[in-house]
Amino acid sequence: NPRGEPVYLMTDHIAYWFTDSAPMTKATTHPSNISKAFILEAIGGVGATPKTEMLRVLSAFPLFVVKKRYTPYLDDAPEAAQLLDQALLEDYDRVASVRGRQIYRRRTSD
């Protein structure tokens, strides 16, 4: 990612610092925060929810999304999980699988 496009790491978030990039939002500094309404409200204000935070992340059109096949913390945020699944299906291609991590790349609009 030499152009520094946004990347959404849903696992192994320390890689942000190894790649000189930043989490997409304050809440995604730790991946599981997206499922914790109390943290989201503290960061984003009253009314912030896992769904609104996932919308915020996805609306920034991350070039890559990296996640494990199963993401247990999204069990607590089914609406956010559904948004992510829909975006991955419609807008991304899985380009690699590395040590259990699924790497998705945003499709270009050619």
Side-chain angles (χ1 to χ4, degrees):
N1 186 17
R3 294 190 326 245
E5 299 234 16
V7 175
Y8 182 31
L9 300 176
M10 299 182 69
T11 183
D12 307 311
H13 55 289
I14 195 167
Y16 285 123
W17 289 270
F18 290 138
T19 60
D20 196 29
S21 56
M24 298 207 41
T25 68
K26 287 181 183 180
T28 59
T29 299
H30 189 279
S32 68
N33 286 349
I34 201 157
S35 65
K36 299 174 181 167
F38 68 96
I39 291 176
L40 298 174
E41 284 193 4
I43 294 170
V46 176
T49 66
K51 180 181 178 181
T52 61
E53 188 64 17
M54 185 63 77
L55 283 169
R56 187 171 167 208
V57 168
L58 294 173
S59 69
F61 305 107
L63 179 60
F64 291 100
V65 175
V66 180
K67 67 183 284 299
K68 291 185 178 179
R69 188 174 309 272
Y70 172 60
T71 309
Y73 60 82
L74 288 180
D75 289 348
D76 297 328
E79 290 180 330
Q82 184 179 19
L83 285 170
L84 176 65
D85 290 344
Q86 182 180 350
L88 291 176
L89 182 66
E90 294 175 3
D91 303 321
Y92 288 81
D93 292 313
R94 192 176 75 170
V95 294
S97 179
V98 179
R99 295 185 179 183
R101 280 72 175 161
Q102 308 302 304
I103 302 170
Y104 296 86
R105 189 176 206 284
R106 187 180 68 235
R107 291 186 193 116
T108 58
S109 55
D110 294 337

